[in-house]
mmCIF file of all heavy atoms in Angstrom:
data_model
loop_
_atom_site.group_PDB
_atom_site.id
_atom_site.type_symbol
_atom_site.label_atom_id
_atom_site.label_comp_id
_atom_site.label_asym_id
_atom_site.label_seq_id
_atom_site.Cartn_x
_atom_site.Cartn_y
_atom_site.Cartn_z
ATOM 1 N N LEU B 263 15.153 31.715 15.459
ATOM 2 C CA LEU B 263 15.333 31.351 14.065
ATOM 3 C C LEU B 263 15.537 29.827 14.020
ATOM 4 O O LEU B 263 16.402 29.293 14.667
ATOM 5 C CB LEU B 263 16.588 32.025 13.478
ATOM 6 C CG LEU B 263 17.006 31.572 12.057
ATOM 7 C CD1 LEU B 263 15.904 31.983 11.063
ATOM 8 C CD2 LEU B 263 18.331 32.155 11.675
ATOM 9 N N ARG B 264 14.694 29.147 13.272
ATOM 10 C CA ARG B 264 14.742 27.708 13.195
ATOM 11 C C ARG B 264 14.960 27.335 11.725
ATOM 12 O O ARG B 264 14.265 27.787 10.829
ATOM 13 C CB ARG B 264 13.460 27.074 13.713
ATOM 14 C CG ARG B 264 13.561 25.580 13.988
ATOM 15 C CD ARG B 264 12.215 24.992 14.359
ATOM 16 N NE ARG B 264 11.549 25.708 15.399
ATOM 17 C CZ ARG B 264 11.766 25.501 16.725
ATOM 18 N NH1 ARG B 264 12.604 24.609 17.079
ATOM 19 N NH2 ARG B 264 11.070 26.224 17.594
ATOM 20 N N ILE B 265 15.968 26.503 11.471
ATOM 21 C CA ILE B 265 16.265 26.044 10.132
ATOM 22 C C ILE B 265 16.092 24.551 10.097
ATOM 23 O O ILE B 265 16.791 23.821 10.786
ATOM 24 C CB ILE B 265 17.683 26.435 9.691
ATOM 25 C CG1 ILE B 265 17.924 27.909 9.867
ATOM 26 C CG2 ILE B 265 17.911 26.028 8.222
ATOM 27 C CD1 ILE B 265 19.355 28.368 9.613
ATOM 28 N N ARG B 266 15.160 24.129 9.261
ATOM 29 C CA ARG B 266 14.902 22.701 9.143
ATOM 30 C C ARG B 266 15.599 22.184 7.890
ATOM 31 O O ARG B 266 15.651 22.865 6.881
ATOM 32 C CB ARG B 266 13.366 22.473 9.071
ATOM 33 C CG ARG B 266 12.914 21.088 9.156
ATOM 34 C CD ARG B 266 11.382 21.041 9.250
ATOM 35 N NE ARG B 266 10.889 19.690 8.955
ATOM 36 C CZ ARG B 266 10.625 19.216 7.754
ATOM 37 N NH1 ARG B 266 10.754 20.023 6.683
ATOM 38 N NH2 ARG B 266 10.224 17.988 7.579
ATOM 39 N N ARG B 267 16.118 20.961 7.942
ATOM 40 C CA ARG B 267 16.873 20.359 6.862
ATOM 41 C C ARG B 267 17.974 21.334 6.420
ATOM 42 O O ARG B 267 18.066 21.772 5.275
ATOM 43 C CB ARG B 267 15.974 19.982 5.684
ATOM 44 C CG ARG B 267 14.960 18.891 6.144
ATOM 45 C CD ARG B 267 14.333 18.161 4.960
ATOM 46 N NE ARG B 267 13.580 17.001 5.461
ATOM 47 C CZ ARG B 267 13.568 15.825 4.908
ATOM 48 N NH1 ARG B 267 14.282 15.583 3.808
ATOM 49 N NH2 ARG B 267 12.847 14.843 5.389
ATOM 50 N N LEU B 268 18.872 21.612 7.359
ATOM 51 C CA LEU B 268 19.886 22.624 7.195
ATOM 52 C C LEU B 268 20.755 22.375 5.942
ATOM 53 O O LEU B 268 21.149 23.351 5.284
ATOM 54 C CB LEU B 268 20.785 22.617 8.432
ATOM 55 C CG LEU B 268 21.938 23.575 8.526
ATOM 56 C CD1 LEU B 268 21.429 24.989 8.601
ATOM 57 C CD2 LEU B 268 22.839 23.274 9.740
ATOM 58 N N MET B 269 21.036 21.139 5.627
ATOM 59 C CA MET B 269 21.896 20.799 4.473
ATOM 60 C C MET B 269 21.016 20.646 3.187
ATOM 61 O O MET B 269 21.456 20.064 2.229
ATOM 62 C CB MET B 269 22.659 19.487 4.723
ATOM 63 C CG MET B 269 23.413 19.505 5.992
ATOM 64 S SD MET B 269 24.604 20.887 6.074
ATOM 65 C CE MET B 269 25.288 20.638 7.709
ATOM 66 N N ASP B 270 19.782 21.117 3.256
ATOM 67 C CA ASP B 270 18.893 21.037 2.083
ATOM 68 C C ASP B 270 18.636 19.578 1.672
ATOM 69 O O ASP B 270 18.571 19.223 0.510
ATOM 70 C CB ASP B 270 19.447 21.807 0.877
ATOM 71 C CG ASP B 270 18.388 22.095 -0.150
ATOM 72 O OD1 ASP B 270 17.181 22.183 0.236
ATOM 73 O OD2 ASP B 270 18.715 22.221 -1.357
ATOM 74 N N GLU B 271 18.520 18.724 2.689
ATOM 75 C CA GLU B 271 18.253 17.341 2.418
ATOM 76 C C GLU B 271 16.868 17.191 1.836
ATOM 77 O O GLU B 271 15.894 17.782 2.266
ATOM 78 C CB GLU B 271 18.357 16.473 3.722
ATOM 79 C CG GLU B 271 19.671 16.657 4.460
ATOM 80 C CD GLU B 271 19.554 17.667 5.562
ATOM 81 O OE1 GLU B 271 19.018 18.786 5.312
ATOM 82 O OE2 GLU B 271 19.948 17.377 6.715
ATOM 83 N N ARG B 272 16.727 16.342 0.803
ATOM 84 C CA ARG B 272 15.438 16.165 0.109
ATOM 85 C C ARG B 272 14.838 14.783 0.315
ATOM 86 O O ARG B 272 13.723 14.534 -0.183
ATOM 87 C CB ARG B 272 15.643 16.408 -1.400
ATOM 88 C CG ARG B 272 16.157 17.778 -1.772
ATOM 89 C CD ARG B 272 15.087 18.821 -1.489
ATOM 90 N NE ARG B 272 15.574 20.155 -1.793
ATOM 91 C CZ ARG B 272 14.931 21.020 -2.553
ATOM 92 N NH1 ARG B 272 13.796 20.687 -3.148
ATOM 93 N NH2 ARG B 272 15.453 22.215 -2.771
ATOM 94 N N ALA B 273 15.513 13.948 1.045
ATOM 95 C CA ALA B 273 14.985 12.571 1.184
ATOM 96 C C ALA B 273 13.615 12.594 1.842
ATOM 97 O O ALA B 273 13.446 13.198 2.921
ATOM 98 C CB ALA B 273 15.979 11.712 2.037
ATOM 99 N N PRO B 274 12.647 11.999 1.230
ATOM 100 C CA PRO B 274 11.263 12.032 1.829
ATOM 101 C C PRO B 274 11.136 10.880 2.816
ATOM 102 O O PRO B 274 11.694 9.811 2.683
ATOM 103 C CB PRO B 274 10.377 11.823 0.615
ATOM 104 C CG PRO B 274 11.181 10.947 -0.278
ATOM 105 C CD PRO B 274 12.630 11.343 -0.067
ATOM 106 N N PHE B 275 10.280 11.114 3.803
ATOM 107 C CA PHE B 275 9.963 10.057 4.753
ATOM 108 C C PHE B 275 8.967 9.071 4.106
ATOM 109 O O PHE B 275 9.153 7.898 4.143
ATOM 110 C CB PHE B 275 9.374 10.678 6.044
ATOM 111 C CG PHE B 275 8.963 9.612 7.051
ATOM 112 C CD1 PHE B 275 9.913 8.897 7.741
ATOM 113 C CD2 PHE B 275 7.627 9.306 7.245
ATOM 114 C CE1 PHE B 275 9.543 7.911 8.639
ATOM 115 C CE2 PHE B 275 7.247 8.318 8.126
ATOM 116 C CZ PHE B 275 8.210 7.630 8.857
ATOM 117 N N ILE B 276 7.929 9.700 3.510
ATOM 118 C CA ILE B 276 6.934 8.890 2.782
ATOM 119 C C ILE B 276 7.284 8.991 1.314
ATOM 120 O O ILE B 276 7.497 10.046 0.788
ATOM 121 C CB ILE B 276 5.522 9.377 3.055
ATOM 122 C CG1 ILE B 276 5.170 9.174 4.568
ATOM 123 C CG2 ILE B 276 4.484 8.680 2.201
ATOM 124 C CD1 ILE B 276 3.813 9.725 4.926
ATOM 125 N N SER B 277 7.273 7.838 0.648
ATOM 126 C CA SER B 277 7.827 7.746 -0.686
ATOM 127 C C SER B 277 7.204 8.758 -1.659
ATOM 128 O O SER B 277 7.905 9.379 -2.399
ATOM 129 C CB SER B 277 7.631 6.346 -1.213
ATOM 130 O OG SER B 277 8.022 6.273 -2.568
ATOM 131 N N SER B 278 5.942 8.916 -1.628
ATOM 132 C CA SER B 278 5.327 9.734 -2.638
ATOM 133 C C SER B 278 5.065 11.189 -2.195
ATOM 134 O O SER B 278 4.475 11.957 -2.869
ATOM 135 C CB SER B 278 3.955 9.097 -3.026
ATOM 136 O OG SER B 278 3.144 8.969 -1.867
ATOM 137 N N VAL B 279 5.558 11.534 -1.027
ATOM 138 C CA VAL B 279 5.369 12.900 -0.491
ATOM 139 C C VAL B 279 6.709 13.603 -0.502
ATOM 140 O O VAL B 279 7.587 13.359 0.342
ATOM 141 C CB VAL B 279 4.780 12.865 0.910
ATOM 142 C CG1 VAL B 279 4.589 14.286 1.440
ATOM 143 C CG2 VAL B 279 3.445 12.127 0.913
ATOM 144 N N PRO B 280 6.940 14.519 -1.455
ATOM 145 C CA PRO B 280 8.250 15.167 -1.530
ATOM 146 C C PRO B 280 8.490 16.127 -0.369
ATOM 147 O O PRO B 280 7.551 16.660 0.208
ATOM 148 C CB PRO B 280 8.184 15.913 -2.862
ATOM 149 C CG PRO B 280 6.738 16.111 -3.073
ATOM 150 C CD PRO B 280 6.007 14.994 -2.467
ATOM 151 N N GLU B 281 9.753 16.301 -0.031
ATOM 152 C CA GLU B 281 10.175 17.269 0.994
ATOM 153 C C GLU B 281 10.659 18.552 0.341
ATOM 154 O O GLU B 281 11.226 18.529 -0.735
ATOM 155 C CB GLU B 281 11.238 16.650 1.864
ATOM 156 C CG GLU B 281 10.770 15.541 2.747
ATOM 157 C CD GLU B 281 9.967 16.069 3.935
ATOM 158 O OE1 GLU B 281 10.025 17.282 4.214
ATOM 159 O OE2 GLU B 281 9.267 15.255 4.589
ATOM 160 N N ALA B 282 10.435 19.647 1.026
ATOM 161 C CA ALA B 282 10.765 20.925 0.440
ATOM 162 C C ALA B 282 12.241 21.278 0.537
ATOM 163 O O ALA B 282 12.718 22.224 -0.028
ATOM 164 C CB ALA B 282 9.928 22.031 1.125
ATOM 165 N N GLY B 283 12.958 20.461 1.331
ATOM 166 C CA GLY B 283 14.376 20.827 1.517
ATOM 167 C C GLY B 283 14.550 21.829 2.675
ATOM 168 O O GLY B 283 13.753 21.900 3.584
ATOM 169 N N ARG B 284 15.543 22.656 2.569
ATOM 170 C CA ARG B 284 15.837 23.625 3.630
ATOM 171 C C ARG B 284 14.711 24.606 3.792
ATOM 172 O O ARG B 284 14.237 25.240 2.796
ATOM 173 C CB ARG B 284 17.138 24.350 3.341
ATOM 174 C CG ARG B 284 17.624 25.300 4.446
ATOM 175 C CD ARG B 284 18.771 26.098 4.018
ATOM 176 N NE ARG B 284 19.898 25.313 3.596
ATOM 177 C CZ ARG B 284 20.432 25.332 2.398
ATOM 178 N NH1 ARG B 284 19.925 26.174 1.478
ATOM 179 N NH2 ARG B 284 21.461 24.586 2.055
ATOM 180 N N THR B 285 14.217 24.768 5.012
ATOM 181 C CA THR B 285 13.196 25.767 5.273
ATOM 182 C C THR B 285 13.589 26.581 6.515
ATOM 183 O O THR B 285 14.187 26.037 7.452
ATOM 184 C CB THR B 285 11.812 25.154 5.543
ATOM 185 O OG1 THR B 285 11.909 24.212 6.650
ATOM 186 C CG2 THR B 285 11.313 24.397 4.356
ATOM 187 N N LEU B 286 13.297 27.864 6.483
ATOM 188 C CA LEU B 286 13.617 28.768 7.578
ATOM 189 C C LEU B 286 12.332 29.251 8.179
ATOM 190 O O LEU B 286 11.370 29.562 7.508
ATOM 191 C CB LEU B 286 14.421 29.960 7.047
ATOM 192 C CG LEU B 286 15.958 29.770 6.900
ATOM 193 C CD1 LEU B 286 16.224 28.859 5.669
ATOM 194 C CD2 LEU B 286 16.656 31.100 6.700
ATOM 195 N N ARG B 287 12.380 29.407 9.505
ATOM 196 C CA ARG B 287 11.254 29.954 10.211
ATOM 197 C C ARG B 287 11.791 30.958 11.254
ATOM 198 O O ARG B 287 12.651 30.615 12.050
ATOM 199 C CB ARG B 287 10.469 28.843 10.923
ATOM 200 C CG ARG B 287 9.228 29.314 11.670
ATOM 201 C CD ARG B 287 8.637 28.132 12.433
ATOM 202 N NE ARG B 287 7.548 28.549 13.241
ATOM 203 C CZ ARG B 287 6.240 28.484 12.876
ATOM 204 N NH1 ARG B 287 5.946 28.002 11.685
ATOM 205 N NH2 ARG B 287 5.296 28.886 13.711
ATOM 206 N N LEU B 288 11.254 32.185 11.248
ATOM 207 C CA LEU B 288 11.668 33.210 12.176
ATOM 208 C C LEU B 288 10.486 33.587 13.038
ATOM 209 O O LEU B 288 9.421 33.951 12.517
ATOM 210 C CB LEU B 288 12.221 34.420 11.436
ATOM 211 C CG LEU B 288 12.612 35.624 12.323
ATOM 212 C CD1 LEU B 288 13.733 35.251 13.226
ATOM 213 C CD2 LEU B 288 13.009 36.809 11.468
ATOM 214 N N GLU B 289 10.648 33.524 14.310
ATOM 215 C CA GLU B 289 9.596 33.943 15.261
ATOM 216 C C GLU B 289 10.174 35.020 16.187
ATOM 217 O O GLU B 289 11.386 34.979 16.546
ATOM 218 C CB GLU B 289 9.116 32.796 16.104
ATOM 219 C CG GLU B 289 8.465 31.659 15.300
ATOM 220 C CD GLU B 289 8.120 30.494 16.233
ATOM 221 O OE1 GLU B 289 8.120 30.665 17.471
ATOM 222 O OE2 GLU B 289 7.860 29.413 15.679
ATOM 223 N N VAL B 290 9.377 35.924 16.544
ATOM 224 C CA VAL B 290 9.767 36.910 17.590
ATOM 225 C C VAL B 290 8.647 37.004 18.608
ATOM 226 O O VAL B 290 7.525 37.310 18.289
ATOM 227 C CB VAL B 290 10.040 38.307 16.970
ATOM 228 C CG1 VAL B 290 10.438 39.289 18.104
ATOM 229 C CG2 VAL B 290 11.117 38.229 15.899
ATOM 230 N N ARG B 291 8.991 36.686 19.824
ATOM 231 C CA ARG B 291 8.016 36.749 20.877
ATOM 232 C C ARG B 291 8.267 38.016 21.712
ATOM 233 O O ARG B 291 9.409 38.251 22.147
ATOM 234 C CB ARG B 291 8.110 35.490 21.764
ATOM 235 C CG ARG B 291 7.031 35.361 22.776
ATOM 236 C CD ARG B 291 7.173 34.087 23.538
ATOM 237 N NE ARG B 291 7.161 32.892 22.641
ATOM 238 C CZ ARG B 291 7.449 31.679 23.050
ATOM 239 N NH1 ARG B 291 7.823 31.429 24.270
ATOM 240 N NH2 ARG B 291 7.433 30.694 22.175
ATOM 241 N N ILE B 292 7.219 38.806 21.915
ATOM 242 C CA ILE B 292 7.354 40.052 22.667
ATOM 243 C C ILE B 292 6.368 40.024 23.813
ATOM 244 O O ILE B 292 5.205 39.730 23.648
ATOM 245 C CB ILE B 292 7.076 41.276 21.763
ATOM 246 C CG1 ILE B 292 8.023 41.272 20.548
ATOM 247 C CG2 ILE B 292 7.225 42.551 22.572
ATOM 248 C CD1 ILE B 292 7.718 42.341 19.547
ATOM 249 N N GLY B 293 6.898 40.298 25.008
ATOM 250 C CA GLY B 293 5.997 40.336 26.163
ATOM 251 C C GLY B 293 6.586 41.199 27.252
ATOM 252 O O GLY B 293 7.731 41.650 27.180
ATOM 253 N N PRO B 294 5.851 41.475 28.253
ATOM 254 C CA PRO B 294 6.359 42.307 29.371
ATOM 255 C C PRO B 294 7.468 41.575 30.066
ATOM 256 O O PRO B 294 7.451 40.367 30.197
ATOM 257 C CB PRO B 294 5.185 42.518 30.249
ATOM 258 C CG PRO B 294 4.189 41.434 29.890
ATOM 259 C CD PRO B 294 4.461 41.113 28.491
#
Side-chain angles (χ1 to χ4, degrees):
Chain B
L263 173 66
R264 195 186 308 275
I265 306 172
R266 189 172 165 273
R267 297 197 171 221
L268 181 66
M269 308 302 178
D270 198 27
E271 305 96 313
R272 298 293 177 127
F275 178 74
I276 296 178
S277 175
S278 56
V279 180
E281 288 286 345
R284 184 187 304 120
T285 57
L286 278 71
R287 181 187 175 95
L288 177 63
E289 298 175 13
V290 180
R291 187 178 303 171
I292 302 174

